[in-house]
Amino acid sequence: MSEHDKQKHKQRMEAQKARIDERVAQAQEERGIIIVLTGNGKGKSTSGFGTVTRAVGHGLRCAVVQFVKGTWPCGERDLLLQHHVPFHVMGTGFTWETQDKDTDIKAATKAWAQAKEWLADPNLDLVMLDEITYMLSYKYLDVDEVVQALKNRPRNQSVIITGRACHRAVIDIADTVSEVRPQKHAFEAGIKAQKGIDW
Ligand code: ATP
Ligand code: MG
């Protein structure tokens, strides 16, 4: 690199740093946020659990509700339970096995009751609602009630919401929304889901 190029690069970097510093200085508000991780690609729940792990590492208090059917094994759950993170796992049988919508609704309502309690708890820094979007898509939970509980949560509490096709009303009140878009998935090439990678 010539002296001229080096000088140019330095100037560009300095200008960029000044811009970033200014934006960092402007971001002064301190409050909890709502993070939505949606889309059809792999990486929503792992991202959410990654953030919970990060928070636990800093000594923050977290709780997780998994709106999953069945009592699937889950590596993150086994790890986080060892760190005293409370979990509620919805865990009904699969609808296409049991064909029992009432059982599903009851289980979703029970899981939501726990979620609501945690969303009102000022001692909790972070609440993760894993796969809750499906409960809204299936209309097992009332979207207005979910939105109200999210809005009324303690000011410093953050919430992570994961699942495909997140409801518009939830996206509207969220602060950070990431859509994971699949380009490839190993499953499509016939590779089996595996422990430690997929659950
Ligand atoms: P992960 O828990 O790995 O972050 P996710 O939360 O983004 O995945 P889910 O829709 O909750 O995705 O899917 C749960 C399971 O399905 C995971 O085991 C994941 O590997 C797998 N999966 C995710 N996306 C796809 C996809 N596009 N095709 C096939 N399987 C997928
Ligand atoms: Mg998931």
Side-chain angles (χ1 to χ4, degrees), residues 44-45 130-131 162:
K44 301 173 292 292
S45 296
D130 191 30
E131 321 294 351
T162 81

Side-chain angles (χ1 to χ4, degrees), residues 40-46 131 134 164 185 187 198:
N40 296 332
K42 171 175 166 57
K44 301 173 292 292
S45 296
T46 40
E131 321 294 351
Y134 305 100
R164 295 177 187 207
H185 194 287
F187 182 70
D198 293 293

